[in-house]
Amino acid sequence: SDPAALAERPQGGLKQQLTAAAALDDDRLGQGRAYAATNLNRFSDADTTAQLIALCSARKSPEPVRAAACLQLRDRTTGQDAVLAALRVRASFLEGTDAPPVGPLAQAAAKLQLKAAGPLLVSHVEDPNTPARDLVAVFESLEALNERSAAPSVERFVRLHHAEPEGSELLPALASGLRALAALGFCAQRG
């Protein structure tokens, strides 16, 4: 192919260029792909939210790309349907498939005040396969959504893990779970 002809060929708008760059299948371009994923947040449409979820979920992509896309999810103001769909996929996650991390989805649900996400997030509190690093975001989101139905599940988690040893990866989640219980008024309801 003639390089001059390629340079003159229209490449689409900025959003299409960033999406294409972020999705390139070349791990050597990880930092550039991460830069593109970060800059997708300039576009507020629901389709961009879905694209960020896909990038955040792509386990074969380099970590900087996934991390950049996941980080952008927490600030989305559109894409409720995409977030709910991803949480449903996550709830029925099969090992070996690309499922989005629940933490970034929980943060997006809280930002969007997506009340329908509450029961889906509760299922992750009860799932022993939910990574500890994601539980803090799940508890914070349940609190932000004022998901009172989560209180019994959060209480079970706290009771089960209340004696975690110092240095346990669950300690931040335990602290967040206690704050969520207090915020949801669960202690006062039981008293």
Side-chain angles (χ1 to χ4, degrees), residues 113-177:
Q113 280 298 297
L114 197 52
K115 300 288 187 190
L120 295 168
L121 294 172
V122 170
S123 71
H124 294 292
V125 171
E126 297 170 348
D127 184 353
N129 295 314
T130 300
R133 68 181 176 276
D134 288 340
L135 285 170
V136 172
V138 170
F139 290 134
E140 289 172 352
S141 297
L142 289 168
E143 181 180 341
L145 294 169
N146 198 27
E147 183 63 42
R148 293 196 182 275
S149 71
S153 296
V154 176
E155 182 190 27
R156 276 191 296 279
F157 175 86
V158 168
R159 286 182 186 274
L160 182 63
H161 297 288
H162 75 279
E164 285 294 315
E166 190 172 322
S168 168
E169 66 178 354
L170 284 173
L171 285 179
L174 182 60
S176 185

Side-chain angles (χ1 to χ4, degrees), residues 143 148 154 176-188:
E143 181 180 341
R148 293 196 182 275
V154 176
S176 185
L178 284 167
R179 282 189 301 274
L181 270 180
L184 296 173
F186 189 63
C187 297

Side-chain angles (χ1 to χ4, degrees), residues 22 28 34 43 56 65 78 88 98 101 105 109 132 134 140 143 148 154-155 167 177 183:
R28 298 171 297 176
F43 303 94
C56 179
V65 178
T78 61
R88 286 185 188 106
D98 283 352
L105 291 171
D134 288 340
E140 289 172 352
E143 181 180 341
R148 293 196 182 275
V154 176
E155 182 190 27

Side-chain angles (χ1 to χ4, degrees), residues 12 27 31 58 63 70 76 93 136 153 183 188:
D27 291 351
Q31 291 303 319
E63 179 57 28
C70 290
R76 299 305 294 170
F93 174 66
V136 172
S153 296

Side-chain angles (χ1 to χ4, degrees), residues 40-115:
L40 276 171
N41 209 31
R42 295 177 178 205
F43 303 94
S44 61
D45 59 291
D47 187 48
T48 299
T49 302
Q51 292 164 342
L52 286 167
I53 290 170
L55 290 167
C56 179
S57 306
R59 294 193 306 154
K60 291 182 181 179
S61 289
E63 179 57 28
V65 178
R66 289 192 322 270
C70 290
L71 187 62
Q72 301 312 308
L73 283 176
R74 70 179 180 193
D75 295 325
R76 299 305 294 170
T77 57
T78 61
Q80 292 89 335
D81 292 340
V83 172
L84 280 175
L87 279 169
R88 286 185 188 106
V89 166
R90 180 72 194 162
S92 61
F93 174 66
L94 299 174
E95 194 61 41
T97 62
D98 283 352
V102 71
L105 291 171
Q107 291 171 321
K111 173 72 175 188
L112 293 165
Q113 280 298 297
L114 197 52
K115 300 288 187 190

Side-chain angles (χ1 to χ4, degrees), residues 1-12:
S1 245
D2 177 20
L6 286 174
E8 291 177 21
R9 189 169 54 191
Q11 300 296 316

